[in-house]
Amino acid sequence: MRLSRFYLPLLKETPSEAQIVSHQLMLRAGMARQESAGIYAWLPLGFRVLKKIEQIVREEQDRAGAVEMLMPTIQSADLWRESGRYDAYGKEMLRIKDRAEREMLYGPTNEEMITEIFRAGVRSYKDLPKMLYHIQWKFRDEVRPRFGVMRGREFLMKDTYSFDADAAGARRSYNKMFVAYLRTFARMGLVSIPMRADTGPIGGDLSHEFIVLAETGESTVFCDRRLLDLAVPGPDTDFDQDLQPLIDRYTSYYAATEEKHDAKEFEAKVGAADRIAARGIEVGHIFYFGEKYSKPMKAMIAGPDGKERPAEMGSYGVGVSRLVGAVIEAHHDEAGCKWPLPVAPFHVGLINLKQGDGATDSACAKAYEALTQAGVEVLYDDTDKRPGEKFAVMDLVGLPHQLVIGPRGLAAGKAETKRRADGHREELPVEEAIAAVKKSVRDGLALR
Ligand code: 5CA
């Protein structure tokens, strides 16, 4: 992509309404724009990150055996009356009337709708287990939308729903999502900690929030430092094997959100040096709630004995749009974003130090071509701005690799590479510089 054609409306000043660094950087780097309180337009740069995050979430859901579908954003109030949540949900729900005065709503979550879909198609234990998910916009009329996309009113969520014939099966589904979540967040360069959590309006009694530690996080959390060093299950994980031992290893360490915190237990289980009392960002939340929806909504399953009973259910959410902010909170410096390769909006920033200089233009064009042909995503700064300004923009945008080509280097046949994560620079013959960047991108993307 040529920067001259792209749309990257950068802000010179940090907007005063942005209190946390991810919000500031998203506005400054032209990633998103607030259209109403807590409602954002995703500008091209931010949109690319959102799509990358969404794709990683999708791949790990598929790997765990969940099946993708898409439910609408607008739902009927009657559906929510069946579960009894229409009145209980309160002011967070955006209620709408259509032209025939029918009561509708903009979905804050989809337990009711998926239960309705499921009961229309499944009758027998032989059809189970099933895990279905979608990645769809939600609306919650939050009292205090803030921190940009972190707590929006309109936000993108991945929500999975599991259906099993009995509690043991439901536990297996829960465990699959638990492991899928550890992998999902790790692939984005995040260390997530599963913590015992409250279930709020979703309900149930077994629940974990996946928390990324960050000073700017909205949740107060308590956990054992040793959790930070646990190995994340690899891509070869067999989701059909018994995952319970793996889950037990994680849950044997103390980790709880404020609502579930037990100070006595914390002190008894965790040595003083390993105690973490900190703030964190909730990037995912999983729930097991059994018959809470299937019973009132009559999603019945016939067992081997022919007897019918309500399906055992769980639901599993990931804050896809919130993750864009969470990744920035974890990866930035004073100059801007430092995107981990798998979620970077482009892999490489190509900087032409003297636009209009024949030799430089042609060397850049060749590099752009060679990288693009190899499947590397390049943002090519072909504008006529000063070098200093181009460097600042590339650092702010934060692509993992920079390739800098100018007349002085070219006279010696050289180009410069810079790694954004640690600032490491190298001057290499042009072809070698291109090959080095290509290789780092390939190697980085191969890690799953
Ligand atoms: N139905 C369940 C799970 S599918 C559910 O709605 N869970 S939730 O309420 O915990 O939301 C799931 C995830 O969405 C949260 O972990 C969080 O990462 C994200 N999320 C929730 N509210 C917001 C919001 N206002 N802005 C951005 N992300 C949000």
Side-chain angles (χ1 to χ4, degrees):
M1 175 61 66
R2 287 170 173 270
L3 187 52
S4 59
R5 284 189 203 146
F6 200 55
Y7 183 61
L8 189 68
L10 304 175
L11 300 183
K12 289 254 179 316
E13 309 282 320
T14 301
S16 59
E17 80 266 21
Q19 298 162 25
I20 64 172
V21 70
S22 57
H23 189 193
Q24 292 167 354
L25 287 175
M26 284 186 72
L27 297 178
R28 278 185 52 211
M31 294 180 67
R33 184 177 169 77
Q34 181 171 294
E35 294 300 327
S36 305
I39 300 179
Y40 288 82
W42 291 82
L43 304 178
L45 191 74
F47 184 61
R48 291 181 70 98
V49 178
L50 187 69
K51 287 284 152 189
K52 295 250 171 116
I53 289 178
E54 181 183 317
Q55 184 55 23
I56 291 176
V57 170
R58 174 177 291 117
E59 286 172 15
E60 295 303 326
Q61 286 300 300
D62 294 349
R63 192 198 299 274
V67 181
E68 188 170 12
M69 60 182 292
L70 185 59
M71 289 178 268
T73 54
I74 306 292
Q75 309 185 21
S76 123
D78 286 341
L79 194 54
W80 284 63
R81 291 206 172 90
E82 283 193 46
S83 71
R85 266 208 302 186
Y86 187 63
D87 295 320
Y89 213 92
K91 288 201 159 189
E92 284 208 352
M93 182 185 276
L94 181 63
R95 295 155 207 260
I96 310 165
K97 275 195 185 145
D98 69 8
R99 65 167 78 206
E101 294 287 308
R102 275 185 292 258
E103 290 174 286
M104 314 291 285
L105 58 99
Y106 195 122
T109 175
N110 283 66
E111 279 81 5
E112 284 77 0
M113 189 176 282
I114 196 76
T115 305
E116 186 278 327
I117 290 168
F118 174 84
R119 77 181 171 199
V122 178
R123 301 261 182 284
S124 160
Y125 76 100
K126 290 182 194 153
D127 301 323
L128 298 181
K130 283 275 175 287
M131 291 196 288
L132 300 169
Y133 76 98
H134 73 161
I135 301 174
Q136 177 63 293
W137 294 91
K138 306 288 188 287
F139 193 93
R140 292 182 186 173
D141 204 350
E142 301 273 353
V143 187
R144 229 151 72 89
R146 57 178 187 159
F147 299 159
V149 301
M150 290 277 208
R151 179 161 298 278
R153 292 200 297 165
E154 188 181 64
F155 60 97
L156 188 58
M157 189 201 287
K158 182 288 297 174
D159 35 328
T160 307
Y161 302 88
S162 67
F163 298 88
D164 283 274
D166 53 32
R171 183 70 212 218
R172 283 194 290 276
S173 297
Y174 187 90
N175 290 352
K176 285 181 188 179
M177 285 297 128
F178 192 108
V179 173
Y181 277 31
L182 291 172
R183 288 193 41 74
T184 301
F185 303 127
R187 280 185 60 188
M188 297 169 193
L190 298 174
V191 178
S192 71
I193 310 175
M195 304 204 181
R196 235 164 41 202
D198 227 9
T199 57
I202 309 292
D205 46 30
L206 172 62
S207 174
H208 286 90
E209 278 180 19
F210 286 71
I211 299 280
V212 173
L213 297 181
E215 278 166 30
T216 50
E218 289 190 283
S219 315
T220 302
V221 298
F222 302 85
C223 69
D224 190 324
R225 191 175 304 280
R226 290 172 292 179
L227 276 163
L228 296 170
D229 301 325
L230 290 187
V232 171
D236 53 348
T237 303
D238 174 6
F239 281 85
D240 289 323
Q241 71 175 8
D242 182 12
L243 297 171
Q244 195 61 49
L246 212 160
I247 309 294
D248 290 344
R249 184 150 79 246
Y250 267 88
T251 52
S252 65
Y253 295 95
Y254 187 95
T257 59
E258 192 172 25
E259 299 78 18
K260 289 280 177 184
H261 181 52
D262 178 338
K264 270 204 189 120
E265 189 191 337
F266 188 42
E267 282 167 28
K269 271 182 102 171
V270 190
D274 285 328
R275 273 177 223 150
I276 296 182
R279 303 193 66 80
I281 303 167
E282 178 200 326
V283 289
H285 197 163
I286 61 178
F287 306 81
Y288 163 56
F289 43 68
E291 303 177 347
K292 174 167 176 189
Y293 301 91
S294 53
K295 194 169 178 189
M297 294 185 68
K298 300 196 176 57
M300 308 302 283
I301 298 298
D305 54 2
K307 268 201 203 132
E308 287 203 329
R309 45 174 306 213
E312 282 281 326
M313 290 176 60
S315 76
Y316 315 87
V318 168
V320 177
S321 48
R322 172 178 288 184
L323 275 163
V324 179
V327 173
I328 299 177
E329 290 294 327
H331 300 276
H332 69 272
D333 62 15
E334 319 72 53
C337 305
K338 290 162 66 166
W339 294 108
L341 189 73
V343 296
F346 296 91
H347 304 136
V348 180
L350 172 62
I351 299 181
N352 180 332
L353 289 180
K354 195 151 194 200
Q355 186 68 30
D357 174 73
T360 311
D361 289 356
S362 107
C364 285
K366 271 196 201 141
Y368 182 72
E369 218 20 60
L371 289 169
T372 309
Q373 287 294 330
V376 174
E377 297 167 2
V378 184
L379 181 62
Y380 172 23
D381 190 344
D382 60 342
T383 64
D384 55 10
K385 298 219 176 72
R386 290 176 299 106
E389 206 173 328
K390 291 193 175 188
F391 292 135
V393 168
M394 251 345 147
D395 280 353
L396 173 63
V397 167
L399 308 179
H401 299 283
Q402 294 176 14
L403 179 61
V404 185
I405 300 181
R408 208 175 306 159
L410 275 183
K414 293 197 165 164
E416 190 179 52
T417 60
K418 175 177 156 182
R419 206 156 55 204
R420 181 68 179 90
D422 58 4
H424 176 77
R425 292 161 185 277
E426 219 167 348
E427 245 208 337
L428 294 168
V430 179
E431 291 300 320
E432 278 180 41
I434 295 171
V437 167
K438 216 191 283 181
K439 183 172 184 322
S440 315
V441 171
R442 281 227 178 105
D443 293 351
L445 292 178
L447 292 175
R448 296 241 145 142

